[in-house]
Amino acid sequence: MSPLTGTLYVVATPIGNLGDMSDRARQVLATVALIAAEDTRTTRPLLTHFGITTALQAYHEHNETAATVRVLATLASGQDVALVSDAGTPLISDPGYSLVTAARAEGIAVVPVPGANAAICALSAAGLPSDRFLFLGFPPRTSSQRRTWLAAVAQEPGTLIVYESTKRALATLADVGAVLGERQVVLARELTKRFETFWSGQPAELQARLAADPEQQRGELVILIAGCPTAAATAVSAEAQHMLTVLAAAVPLRQAIELTVQFTGAKKNALYQLGLELGLGGEVD
Ligand code: SAM
């Protein structure tokens, strides 16, 4: 990398609540020579709100090649550039991948300025396992393609995270139920905004609730789907799982297993395996 080249900053912006704009994001956007923005009409009001007057250049999927050349030329001249998308973190279901790879190929420093991201925001508060997850972005728009797409991840044990338009939420929930079966699903809508909601339930249940409430079919939505249940989890009833989890928080796992066997009749081996998978306790002899 030439010492004269500028730095490309990849800057996250809020997904609704302007209070989530970081001090560092503001400072970087105010001091770079140029901001490459997915839609300048969306970014300009954000900059105005924070009193930032930096020049903007459009960078979106339809002008990516030409815009990349222009941004690289600015960086090569020693000036810093920031990349932003309409909301959240650039490159996450948003433009920027080809610019970042091209900059890296040229030996230009690429620096992330982290902030809001709808997927992580939703996962952090949904109440579904967060130790392992698979971000899937947007599903295909037709039901048959969507079902094939869901079938490909049916065995994934981690939580599935999907971006979806609220207009297609009902149809997508129907496909989730048909392909993945009864699993816990969370609809995280209008995150960080005034009418933020988290709805949790089985696909059919959520479909009925959503169908009855047109207001909830507006705005922005992240769908989270519990991962594929393990063999041990399938072998143990929901009641026994719940009892084991509650008891294991209070007594040693061995005792929790014995009590759960006694009260529910669940198989000891399956409970033991489940206890390990859920990280419920220490040693069990
Ligand atoms: N780059 C963004 C990010 O970091 O999250 C995502 C951009 S993607 C084009 C837009 C999708 O993200 C929306 O259709 C929705 O699925 C999700 N999304 C963005 N903001 C959201 C919000 N405030 N509440 C719920 N979902 C949101």
Side-chain angles (χ1 to χ4, degrees):
M1 175 186 27
S2 152
L4 295 177
T5 55
T7 295
L8 174 64
Y9 293 94
V10 182
V11 181
T13 55
I15 55 170
N17 190 324
L18 292 183
D20 294 335
M21 184 84 163
S22 74
D23 283 348
R24 186 166 169 232
R26 289 165 68 166
Q27 189 241 319
V28 166
L29 293 177
T31 52
V32 292
L34 178 71
I35 298 172
E38 180 183 6
D39 188 337
T40 56
R41 292 163 305 180
T42 305
T43 300
R44 177 57 69 205
L46 179 78
L47 298 183
T48 304
H49 177 86
F50 291 109
I52 298 168
T53 55
T54 308
L56 281 169
Q57 181 200 300
Y59 179 90
H60 45 71
E61 57 180 340
H62 304 296
N63 77 346
E64 254 181 338
T65 310
T68 296
V69 171
R70 283 201 294 274
V71 170
L72 289 180
T74 305
L75 290 161
S77 75
Q79 295 181 293
D80 294 337
V81 177
L83 170 69
V84 298
S85 61
D86 284 355
T89 303
L91 277 82
I92 309 302
S93 293
D94 266 342
Y97 173 68
S98 49
L99 176 58
V100 168
T101 43
R104 287 213 168 270
E106 296 284 323
I108 291 165
V110 182
V111 173
V113 179
N117 165 250
I120 298 299
C121 177
L123 182 66
S124 70
L128 286 172
S130 54
D131 55 337
R132 171 173 171 150
F133 59 89
L134 181 62
F135 173 66
L136 295 167
F138 286 96
R141 291 188 176 201
T142 68
S143 178
S144 65
Q145 286 177 332
R146 218 164 27 231
R147 288 183 180 213
T148 308
W149 183 83
L150 287 167
V153 292
Q155 301 306 316
E156 165 59 40
T159 297
L160 304 172
I161 307 180
V162 174
Y163 282 168
E164 185 54 294
S165 154
T166 35
K167 291 193 189 76
R168 280 185 287 277
L170 277 171
T172 297
L173 278 174
D175 293 334
V176 167
V179 177
L180 303 179
E182 291 300 290
R183 292 195 193 180
Q184 192 188 348
V185 172
V186 175
L187 302 181
R189 201 185 67 92
E190 292 293 85
L191 294 163
T192 78
K193 303 185 202 175
R194 188 166 166 212
F195 297 110
E196 175 180 278
T197 52
F198 281 85
W199 280 9
S200 181
Q202 303 288 315
E205 198 184 317
L206 289 174
Q207 243 183 294
R209 241 182 118 182
L210 202 55
D213 191 346
E215 205 43 52
Q216 290 284 327
Q217 295 174 44
R218 302 206 182 118
E220 296 189 284
L221 176 70
V222 180
I223 303 178
L224 303 103
I225 307 159
C228 182
T230 61
T234 312
V236 175
S237 72
E239 183 204 10
Q241 278 191 47
H242 180 65
M243 183 172 288
L244 181 69
T245 313
V246 173
L247 287 172
V251 299
L253 182 56
R254 185 162 49 87
Q255 207 180 337
I257 290 173
E258 275 162 14
L259 288 167
T260 307
V261 169
Q262 213 174 316
F263 284 111
T264 67
K267 292 255 183 318
K268 193 172 179 175
N269 283 350
L271 287 173
Y272 172 67
Q273 185 55 38
L274 187 64
L276 292 182
E277 284 173 11
L278 297 176
L280 290 182
E283 293 295 301
V284 187
D285 45 83

